[in-house]
């Protein structure tokens, strides 16, 4: 496809005049309108010249944790310049008859038995929260008038992610070609997400991920995919800095779930430990739902570890912590964000005091928008929102904003999301995207103090922050 010039007429161009900002029922700035003008002008056979994001470093990786950073300069660096989408689709007009604007949802919301994960599914509690966050955002959009161009409602088309690799791809096909959704929210499991977004790439449908913290998810660098939750890489970085630089520990053992979440979650902590010259002496894996951890814990004790890092679900983490204390193991206990869920404290009881968890956001910050969301969520569903609900709410709102602006055209919806320059002010904080369309924001630490979680930023903890969080956006013109 040829590159579009600013003046040449193009076949299939959208010649509708852009709306005035004051007429729109949602916020939009002059920069975004100028991007939309370029996209509309390109038509069916030309590629709009859109600005691309450029990051100084990948994922804000500190210099001392940079792979091979102390040895040599790499021959090639990846993921620093945004992947351009040069394919077709922008010239497809809106369908003449549409009753609702469909948005797909793929998440683990029903119990299943998964061959891929070796047993009963275990993420329904996360998926249900994710679904509620999406539902609330959709309901609010419809209460505000729905899709403003046609005065029709948004509709959430819900599919269960049953834990099987192939079926997650099948669900994307059903959503894209049978339900004709305009974009998809999902999912949580790292393996299923990988399959789903590869199918979405072929189907050319935008995917907004709000719950998969697998660091490798976004390294597929698919230009149709973005993520709005801080991943395990960033959570591992702050944990490693706190454990080694703040507490001065040097011998830390790992116990993790024997699935993709556990395996890929701790990988960045293990690598960071080695690069900080404190290699992890022992790493133990367990089956999800296991009841007796005495063998794994005894080996950790025999290795004389000074602390234990756990990566897995809340229930498993709490049982491990309780058995540690029963065995007389007094080492500090660190964990991933899933141990911030209520189930961890319910099972761990008083043992939870002093536990330190990584967190992709700070839900305790003073923010009127967050408080408003919390009140609406409680009124609608009768429970407190947590990490997966809040990020799903933000991701769905971003997606609705892009659809309202771009219209019913998948490629244009992708373009609007991928070129957004300013941060999205969400209930989880400011969402800024990197060159690979991942969320560029710091993780936090939550410390259990006096029967409540208290959240700390790097600045609060006196930890170094060496690289800028904001990506640079450069024009192709």
């Amino acid at each position: 496809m040829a590159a579009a010039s600013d003046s040449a007429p193009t076949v299939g161009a959208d010649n509708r005049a852009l709306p005035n900002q004051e007429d729109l029922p949602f916020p939009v700035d002059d920069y975004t309108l100028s991007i939309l003008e370029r996209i509309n002008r390109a038509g069916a056979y030309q590629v709009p010249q859109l600005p691309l994001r450029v990051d100084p470093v990948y994922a804000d990786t500190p210099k001392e944790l940079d792979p091979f950073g102390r040895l040599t300069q790499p021959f090639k660096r990846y993921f620093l310049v945004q992947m351009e989408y040069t394919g077709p689709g922008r010239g497809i007009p809106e369908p003449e008859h549409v009753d609702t604007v469909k948005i797909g949802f793929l998440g683990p919301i029903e119990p299943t038995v998964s061959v891929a994960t070796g047993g009963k599914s275990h993420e329904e509690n996360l998926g249900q929260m994710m679904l509620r966050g999406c539902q609330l955002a959709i309901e609010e959009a419809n209460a505000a008038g729905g899709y403003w161009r046609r005065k029709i409602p948004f509709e959430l088309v819900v599919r269960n992610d049953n834990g099987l690799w192939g079926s997650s791809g099948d669900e994307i096909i059903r959503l894209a070609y049978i339900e004709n959704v305009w974009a998809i929210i999902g999912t949580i499991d790292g393996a299923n997400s990988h399959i789903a977004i590869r199918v979405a790439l072929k189907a050319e449908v935008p995917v907004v991920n709000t719950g998969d913290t697998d660091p490798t998810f976004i390294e597929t660098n698919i230009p149709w995919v973005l993520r709005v939750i801080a991943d395990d890489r960033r959570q591992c970085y702050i944990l490693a800095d706190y454990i080694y630089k703040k507490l001065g520990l040097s011998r830390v053992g790992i116990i993790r779930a024997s699935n993709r979440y556990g395996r890929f979650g701790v990988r960045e902590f293990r690598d960071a430990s080695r690069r900080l010259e404190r290699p992890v002496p022992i790493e133990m894996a367990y089956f999800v739902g296991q009841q007796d951890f005495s063998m794994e814990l005894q080996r950790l004790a025999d290795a004389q570890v000074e602390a234990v890092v756990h990566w897995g679900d809340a229930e498993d983490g709490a049982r491990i912590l309780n058995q540690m204390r029963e065995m007389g193991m007094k080492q500090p206990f660190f964990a991933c964000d899933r141990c911030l869920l209520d189930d961890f404290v319910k099972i761990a009881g008083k043992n939870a005091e002093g536990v330190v968890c990584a967190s992709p956001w700070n839900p305790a910050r003073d923010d009127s928008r967050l408080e408003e969301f919390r009140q609406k969520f409680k009124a609608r569903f009768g429970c407190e929102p947590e990490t997966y609900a809040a990020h799903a709410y933000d991701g769905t709102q971003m997606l609705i904003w892009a659809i309202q602006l771009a219209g019913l055209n998948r490629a244009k919806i992708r373009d609007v999301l991928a070129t957004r320059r300013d941060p999205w002010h969400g209930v989880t904080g400011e969402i800024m995207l990197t060159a690979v369309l991942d969320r560029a924001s710091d993780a936090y630490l939550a410390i259990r103090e006096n029967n409540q979680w208290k959240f700390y930023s790097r600045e609060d903890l006196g930890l170094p922050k060496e690289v800028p969080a904001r990506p640079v956006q450069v024009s192709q013109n």
Side-chain angles (χ1 to χ4, degrees):
M1 299 182 73
S5 66
D6 285 341
S7 57
T10 57
V11 177
D14 187 345
N15 295 317
R16 292 177 299 179
L18 292 176
N20 296 319
Q21 293 187 45
E22 56 269 21
D23 295 333
L24 295 173
F26 49 89
V28 62
D29 55 75
D30 290 336
Y31 171 82
T32 305
L33 287 175
S34 70
I35 293 292
L36 186 60
E37 187 177 13
R38 292 190 200 182
I39 298 169
N40 288 341
R41 191 190 308 125
Y45 301 109
Q46 295 188 327
V47 179
Q49 295 295 290
L50 301 178
L52 300 177
R53 299 170 190 275
V54 179
D55 290 339
V57 296
Y58 175 61
D60 297 344
T61 302
K63 189 174 181 180
E64 59 189 339
L65 300 184
D66 194 17
F68 308 106
R70 298 181 185 180
L71 301 176
T72 185
Q73 289 297 312
F75 176 74
K76 172 72 176 177
R77 290 185 183 275
Y78 293 96
F79 313 135
L80 299 182
V81 179
Q82 184 176 356
M83 180 72 74
E84 184 183 10
Y85 174 63
T86 59
R90 298 180 176 95
I92 301 174
E94 284 202 7
E96 292 184 0
H97 179 77
V98 181
D99 292 323
T100 61
V101 177
K102 293 183 177 180
I103 295 175
F105 172 94
L106 180 63
I109 55 175
E110 298 176 2
T112 58
V113 176
S114 168
V115 175
T117 57
K120 184 180 178 300
S121 58
H122 56 100
E123 293 175 334
E124 297 86 63
N125 56 336
L126 311 181
Q128 287 286 352
M129 279 294 185
M130 185 174 118
L131 176 59
R132 290 167 181 164
C134 293
Q135 288 173 326
L136 185 59
I138 294 283
E139 290 167 3
E140 289 182 2
N142 287 336
Y147 179 53
W148 74 281
R149 296 173 190 267
R150 304 278 188 98
K151 309 300 181 188
I152 57 176
F154 290 94
E155 177 186 357
L156 194 64
V157 182
V158 179
R159 297 294 183 193
N160 182 48
D161 174 9
N162 67 8
L164 298 173
W165 289 11
S167 64
S168 64
D170 291 343
E171 294 297 356
I172 296 296
I173 293 296
R174 292 189 182 94
L175 289 169
Y177 293 112
I178 298 176
E179 296 292 349
N180 294 317
V181 302
W182 298 103
I184 297 171
I185 304 284
T187 179
I188 293 176
D189 178 82
N192 293 348
S193 294
H194 268 280
I195 299 299
I197 59 177
R198 281 165 172 78
V199 178
L201 168 64
K202 295 295 184 183
E204 297 185 337
V205 57
V207 174
V208 177
N209 185 278
T210 66
D212 180 6
T213 55
D214 179 349
T216 67
F217 168 82
I218 210 68
E219 291 170 356
T220 53
N221 211 2
I222 295 173
W224 291 84
V225 174
L226 64 91
R227 177 167 64 184
V228 299
I229 186 171
D231 68 357
D232 289 339
R233 176 188 298 273
R234 296 171 188 274
Q235 295 183 46
C236 285
Y237 285 166
I238 191 171
L239 265 179
D241 274 352
Y242 183 72
I243 290 172
Y244 297 125
K245 297 179 180 177
K246 183 78 174 182
L247 302 182
L249 302 175
S250 59
R251 195 172 175 81
V252 179
I254 292 175
I255 184 167
R256 63 163 176 83
S258 182
N259 57 16
R260 187 182 179 92
Y261 176 69
R263 187 168 66 255
F264 280 77
V266 296
R267 191 173 71 171
E268 296 301 329
F269 181 82
R270 187 174 58 241
D271 289 350
S273 301
R274 185 177 66 253
R275 289 165 189 148
L276 292 172
E277 300 180 352
R278 296 172 177 84
V280 172
I282 184 170
E283 178 176 332
M284 301 300 300
Y286 63 84
F287 291 108
V288 173
Q290 186 173 316
Q291 299 297 310
D292 181 7
F293 301 92
S294 56
M295 184 272 286
E296 292 85 356
L297 292 176
Q298 188 57 56
R299 291 188 178 180
L300 286 165
D302 292 344
Q304 299 181 334
V305 298
E306 298 174 315
V308 172
V309 169
H310 167 256
W311 221 269
D313 293 339
E315 298 89 339
D316 292 334
R319 286 195 293 271
I320 289 169
L321 175 60
N322 287 346
Q323 288 188 31
M324 278 181 59
R325 300 305 183 235
E326 290 169 5
M327 293 171 64
M329 296 176 66
K330 299 179 180 178
Q331 292 90 337
F333 189 84
F334 302 91
C336 57
D337 66 287
R338 290 192 181 185
C339 287
L340 289 171
L341 300 177
D342 291 344
D343 286 340
F344 179 84
V345 172
K346 289 178 182 175
I347 298 172
K350 63 181 181 182
N351 289 332
E353 192 71 12
V355 167
V356 180
C357 293
S359 175
W361 66 310
N362 179 6
R365 72 186 191 284
D366 184 13
D367 185 329
S368 60
R369 183 175 170 77
L370 172 60
E371 184 56 30
E372 181 182 1
F373 162 71
R374 185 174 281 127
Q375 295 302 322
K376 289 179 179 177
F377 193 94
K378 288 175 64 177
R380 172 66 175 83
F381 301 107
C383 60
E384 287 278 353
E386 41 70 283
T387 296
Y388 293 84
H391 286 81
Y393 180 80
D394 277 351
T396 307
Q397 282 205 324
M398 281 183 68
L399 182 54
I400 290 172
W401 171 82
I403 294 173
Q404 295 276 34
L405 190 59
L408 301 184
N409 179 295
R410 291 172 177 172
K412 291 182 183 179
I413 294 168
R414 187 220 75 89
D415 288 342
V416 170
L417 287 169
T419 57
R420 184 179 171 90
R421 182 187 61 181
D422 298 328
W424 179 269
H425 300 289
V427 299
T428 59
E430 290 195 345
I431 300 174
M432 191 71 191
L433 299 178
T434 69
V436 290
L437 303 184
D438 200 9
R439 182 166 183 166
S441 64
D442 277 339
Y444 293 80
L445 286 187
I447 303 177
R448 191 73 181 176
E449 298 173 333
N450 298 318
N451 294 321
Q452 60 180 328
W453 295 109
K454 293 187 177 179
F455 290 79
Y456 297 91
S457 66
R458 281 186 171 272
E459 290 76 11
D460 296 333
L461 298 167
L463 298 176
K465 184 177 180 180
E466 302 173 2
V467 292
R470 233 182 132 87
V472 177
Q473 210 169 28
V474 295
S475 174
Q476 289 185 289
N477 292 331

